[in-house]
């Protein structure tokens, strides 16, 4: 069974799908999770939330807070409301400061051609990484993004909207596999809150259910944006990808970060244009279901 080295860049703490995505990666036996970097408002709180799930999984994973603000323009994203759950769960309280980009750079250079960078938040850290070391894009195995709206759904998508200047830089980079899973497919994979919470048994998923409370207080369902992107790292057949070229609008205002995609068989970007929702849910729930009984014991006390 081939394992895939993965670096996760996330804005965990606002939409619950980031936490679900991280739980999936921790449960996925084919994922060699090399590290986690966090991005956008209050990245230290986001790092603490990521550490809750790593501890619950019994895993030691490097976690480094990254950029708190976009490359240009005012911040858009609010601090993570899910941080209210932190006092109830064991979590790390100290993280390396100012080292996220260097960590990504060093890790990718140590395994040229092997690492998949999975970015499921605003692309500030990734843009800073590519600027710091312009050779890095060519040294990746693949770059998989949850971001954009390309065919049937109007944009802009939130991750791209939060830092369109960073997104434009990232899409300008040439990566061996540069793949985007956008709203055109992710919005087709949903689950009612009660149904989702019914799957949240076991040490790894109980914290996810707790973190989900602020999210479900305002909406009745979860949309699997980030988990779908993660699952395609291990099973690309869950989506249909087509080649083309993506451009990112950077004009200020509500349309900032709108993505335009032009089909081109020789284009540098792959965009998801279709999805198999039932196949994804079967895949996702099978992986998380295995995690329910993977570890003995119950919840860990808060420090």
């Amino acid at each position: 069974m081939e394992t895939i080295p993965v670096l996760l860049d996330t804005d965990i703490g606002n939409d619950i799908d980031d936490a679900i995505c991280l739980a999936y990666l921790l449960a996925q036996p084919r994922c060699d999770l090399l590290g986690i970097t966090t991005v956008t408002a209050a990245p230290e709180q986001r790092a603490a939330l990521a550490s809750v799930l790593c501890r619950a999984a019994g895993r030691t994973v490097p976690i480094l807070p990254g950029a708190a603000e976009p490359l240009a323009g005012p911040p858009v994203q609010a601090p993570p409301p899910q941080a209210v759950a932190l006092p109830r769960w064991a979590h790390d309280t100290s993280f390396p400061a100012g080292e996220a980009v260097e960590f990504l750079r060093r890790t990718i250079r140590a395994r040229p051609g092997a690492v998949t960078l999975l970015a499921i938040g605003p692309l500030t850290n990734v843009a800073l990484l590519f600027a710091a070391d312009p050779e890095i894009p060519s040294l990746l195995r693949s770059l998989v993004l949850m971001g954009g709206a390309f065919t049937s759904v109007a944009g802009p998508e939130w991750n791209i909207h939060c830092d369109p200047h960073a997104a434009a830089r990232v899409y300008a980079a040439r990566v061996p596999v540069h793949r985007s899973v956008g709203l055109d497919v992710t919005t087709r994979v949903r689950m009612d809150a009660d149904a989702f919470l019914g799957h949240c048994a076991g040490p790894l998923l109980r914290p996810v259910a707790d973190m989900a409370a602020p999210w479900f207080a305002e909406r009745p369902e979860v949309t699997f944006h980030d988990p779908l992107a993660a699952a395609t790292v291990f099973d690309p057949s869950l989506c249909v990808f087509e080649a083309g070229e993506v451009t990112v609008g950077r004009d200020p205002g509500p349309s900032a970060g709108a993505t335009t995609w032009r089909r081109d068989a020789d284009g540098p970007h792959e965009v998801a244009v279709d999805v198999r929702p039932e196949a994804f849910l079967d895949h996702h729930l099978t992986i998380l279901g295995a995690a329910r009984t993977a570890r003995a014991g119950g919840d860990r006390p808060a420090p």
Side-chain angles (χ1 to χ4, degrees), residues 20-293:
I20 299 169
C21 178
L22 177 53
Y24 166 84
L25 293 174
L26 290 165
Q28 169 59 260
R30 294 182 57 208
C31 179
D32 180 10
L33 187 58
L34 303 179
I36 301 166
T37 54
T38 60
V39 66
T40 196
E44 293 80 11
Q45 288 186 349
R46 299 179 193 279
L49 287 166
S51 76
V52 168
L53 298 186
C54 292
R55 285 196 182 205
R59 299 276 293 279
T60 301
V61 179
I63 305 173
L64 296 91
E69 297 184 353
L71 294 185
V76 177
Q77 181 134 272
Q82 291 165 32
V84 298
L86 286 172
R88 297 189 289 273
W89 301 94
H91 64 276
D92 297 344
T93 57
S94 178
F95 303 93
E99 298 181 21
V101 168
E102 175 58 22
F103 169 78
L104 293 171
R105 190 193 73 82
R106 187 173 63 248
T107 304
I108 293 165
R109 280 202 166 273
R111 302 193 185 197
V115 176
T116 290
L117 177 54
L118 174 62
I120 58 173
L123 293 172
T124 316
N125 287 339
V126 182
L128 291 171
L129 169 66
F130 289 178
D133 190 340
E135 193 178 4
I136 285 293
S138 68
L139 298 178
L140 287 168
R141 169 177 174 153
S142 62
L143 174 65
V144 178
L145 309 177
M146 189 285 119
F150 305 102
T151 59
S152 59
V153 177
E157 182 273 327
W158 181 251
N159 288 339
I160 308 299
H161 177 68
C162 283
D163 197 342
H165 293 274
R169 293 187 185 186
V170 170
Y171 278 104
R174 293 300 179 256
V175 183
V177 177
H178 197 304
R179 184 169 286 166
S180 296
V181 179
L183 297 181
D184 311 286
V185 292
T186 64
T187 51
R188 294 174 54 192
V189 188
R190 303 171 181 264
M191 185 178 289
D192 290 343
D194 289 343
F196 170 76
L197 293 172
H199 292 285
C200 289
L204 176 57
L205 295 173
R206 277 194 288 270
V208 175
D210 190 21
M211 294 176 190
W215 180 257
F216 289 141
E218 298 182 0
R219 49 191 66 78
E221 64 183 4
V222 58
T223 303
F224 291 90
H225 304 289
D226 298 337
L228 177 60
T232 66
V233 173
F234 307 95
D235 186 356
S237 72
L238 293 173
C239 288
V240 175
F241 292 92
E242 291 188 14
E245 185 163 10
V246 174
T247 55
V248 179
R250 286 174 281 180
D251 292 337
S255 64
T259 45
T260 303
W261 175 61
R262 177 178 59 85
R263 281 184 172 87
D264 180 352
D266 298 318
H269 308 124
E270 295 181 14
V271 164
V273 296
D274 201 359
V275 62
R276 297 191 292 141
E278 293 302 322
F280 162 75
L281 288 172
D282 287 345
H283 169 95
H284 181 78
L285 295 176
T286 296
I287 297 297
L288 288 182
R292 295 182 195 177
T293 56

